[in-house]
Amino acid sequence: MLQPRLLLRQSQKTSCQYLSIRNTLPRYYATAVDPVKAEATSQTAATPGFAPPPTVETSSTFQMRTYKPRTPGVRHLKRPINDHLWKGRPFLALTFAKKGHGKGGRNNSGRVTIRHRGGGHKRRIRTIDFQRMTPGKHTVERIEHDPGRTAHIALLNEEATGRKSYIVAAEGMRAGDVVQSYRAGIPEDLLESMGGFVDPGVLAAKTAWRGNCLPLHMIPIGTIIYNVGSTKGKGAVFCRSAGTYAVVVSKDDATTSGGNKYVNVRLQSGEVRKVSRDACATIGVASNPHYQHTQLGKAGRKRWLNIRPTVRGLAMNAADHPHGGGRGKSKGNVDPVSPWGMPAKGGYKTRKVRKPNKWVVTARERNHGKRRVK
């Protein structure tokens, strides 16, 4: 039965008012809530308007940013919260373009040395100072995202000359912090404040701060460090990715024929490694520790990161892979190998048993595909 025209006009007017109110209200696509306050938030009144309810992580140790599933690509998207990062462009003088064969996994002769690389978004390489030989105070201007690495980087401004440099930022480092490098030696004013001689306790209290770069013989035992070097006069080679760190285990005073002393450092893999006492190390933990919990949400974001698809050898033909061919899902009852026949579980053992790595004090545990006995 048809309704009167007056009622139809009233219903249309009501719907228009609803649409106007809906357009004026904000739409929230990303939510990030402190897990500690999640219970209090749920007990409060409902959020006014049409905003989605806050998304709360199950873990109470960290929080991640999730998105309302308005599209399939953001349904499973999960990112760490890094609102303190610089929103603008990098310092152009310390960058250069990444182009050519460097994006396709090729070496200097044009051969593919890393498979499944190609495409990706346009990027610029940030020049990072891993040596940090310049003494004096450096002020952190900002914390930036580096598309070429997982950890964040910090732009430093040398107070004496005003020169800029990039370093791998420590977790908790923010703009305005002052960091310093002691690789060139102990400053005279610091030595005078200690009474003219080196007091290990006072020296550690005044130098072992987050973001400071020190030679390993000046770092107390048990200190958490990152950007660890291996030899004197060179840059960092260990613990440079997001959330990685090492621990100073002991200091070896026994000298070799060359007269060098060493410091034992335990890496996160469990390996205890011997490095030079004059090698560099930075106090703290590499920034962006929650990077490992990132979920890209769709395959396209993997392509933006310069990573191409990976095809299983089982799905190939026999001419393309040792696992290919046959009827059904069968690789021919052989051990898993690479496309060129190299065993996939640790490769071939080529190091002699009586010739171990002289720099490794305690080797990390290797199971080579076998189950570890608890």
Side-chain angles (χ1 to χ4, degrees):
M1 183 175 183
L2 296 178
Q3 296 179 352
R5 183 173 298 179
L6 180 62
L7 295 178
L8 287 174
R9 290 177 180 177
Q10 288 180 354
S11 62
Q12 292 176 359
K13 183 177 179 181
T14 306
S15 62
C16 293
Q17 291 178 353
Y18 171 78
L19 292 175
S20 62
I21 295 175
R22 182 176 181 179
N23 293 332
T24 56
L25 291 175
R27 300 176 67 186
Y28 298 95
Y29 292 91
T31 56
V33 179
D34 190 358
V36 179
K37 301 179 181 179
E39 184 178 356
T41 306
S42 61
Q43 294 177 359
T44 57
T47 307
F50 302 95
T55 304
V56 181
E57 285 291 337
T58 56
S59 176
S60 61
T61 57
F62 65 93
Q63 50 186 343
M64 300 285 288
R65 173 164 285 134
T66 57
Y67 299 82
K68 186 171 183 179
R70 299 185 184 274
T71 60
V74 298
R75 179 177 296 276
H76 301 289
L77 180 61
K78 190 180 295 185
R79 292 170 174 171
I81 301 175
N82 295 315
D83 295 334
H84 63 283
L85 294 182
W86 172 251
K87 302 300 189 298
R89 294 176 61 85
F91 188 69
L92 196 62
L94 295 176
T95 63
F96 61 93
K98 180 181 177 64
K99 59 182 180 179
H101 280 180
K103 296 188 67 174
R106 271 87 172 167
N107 59 4
N108 56 358
S109 63
R111 297 179 180 272
V112 176
T113 55
I114 304 177
R115 297 194 300 160
H116 316 133
R117 294 290 178 91
H121 197 278
K122 189 176 181 180
R123 293 186 290 179
R124 295 187 69 85
I125 301 296
R126 276 69 166 171
T127 304
I128 309 297
D129 182 14
F130 287 109
Q131 296 187 355
R132 299 189 65 180
M133 297 296 297
T134 307
K137 295 183 178 180
H138 294 70
T139 304
V140 179
E141 285 196 1
R142 62 202 186 201
I143 309 296
E144 298 182 10
H145 164 72
D146 188 354
R149 65 186 68 250
T150 56
H152 299 149
I153 59 177
L155 181 64
L156 301 185
N157 181 25
E158 187 179 356
E159 294 185 357
T161 61
R163 295 178 180 175
K164 311 285 187 182
S165 61
Y166 276 126
I167 65 168
V168 177
E171 175 62 17
M173 183 182 291
R174 294 295 183 269
D177 294 350
V178 178
V179 296
Q180 197 168 351
S181 176
Y182 297 94
R183 293 198 68 184
I186 303 174
E188 295 182 359
D189 55 349
L190 180 58
L191 192 61
E192 292 177 359
S193 64
M194 291 187 295
F197 61 93
V198 177
D199 187 352
V202 177
L203 183 64
K206 292 188 175 183
T207 59
W209 297 348
R210 177 177 53 202
N212 286 355
C213 183
L214 291 83
L216 278 168
H217 67 84
M218 290 178 56
I219 301 177
I221 296 177
T223 306
I224 295 177
I225 56 178
Y226 74 102
N227 272 13
V228 184
S230 60
T231 57
K232 178 181 178 180
K234 294 187 178 182
V237 292
F238 301 118
C239 302
R240 307 195 316 189
S241 59
T244 56
Y245 62 90
V247 181
V248 180
V249 177
S250 62
K251 299 180 180 180
D252 187 11
D253 293 333
T255 58
T256 60
S257 59
N260 296 325
K261 298 180 181 179
Y262 299 95
V263 175
N264 294 332
V265 175
R266 184 175 69 247
L267 305 179
Q268 283 183 289
S269 62
E271 175 180 306
V272 178
R273 197 175 187 90
K274 181 168 59 175
V275 297
S276 174
R277 66 187 300 270
D278 296 320
C280 64
T282 307
I283 308 297
V285 181
S287 55
N288 199 16
H290 303 318
Y291 172 81
Q292 59 177 331
H293 304 290
T294 303
Q295 294 182 12
L296 298 180
K298 64 178 183 179
R301 290 191 181 91
K302 205 76 171 177
R303 301 302 299 268
W304 298 343
L305 296 177
N306 199 45
I307 301 175
R308 298 182 66 241
T310 302
V311 180
R312 296 172 295 118
L314 200 68
M316 298 182 186
N317 295 326
D320 299 325
H321 200 279
H323 296 172
R327 296 191 179 187
K329 294 182 179 180
S330 174
K331 64 179 186 298
N333 196 21
V334 295
D335 294 333
V337 294
S338 69
W340 305 277
M342 179 69 70
K345 296 295 184 180
Y348 289 115
K349 295 182 180 180
T350 57
R351 180 177 292 276
K352 296 181 179 180
V353 179
R354 298 182 181 180
K355 189 181 178 181
N357 191 347
K358 64 178 182 179
W359 302 110
V360 176
V361 179
T362 304
R364 66 182 178 92
E365 184 179 0
R366 298 173 182 267
N367 60 343
H368 292 288
K370 301 177 183 178
R371 295 193 178 186
R372 292 178 179 151
V373 180
K374 295 182 181 181

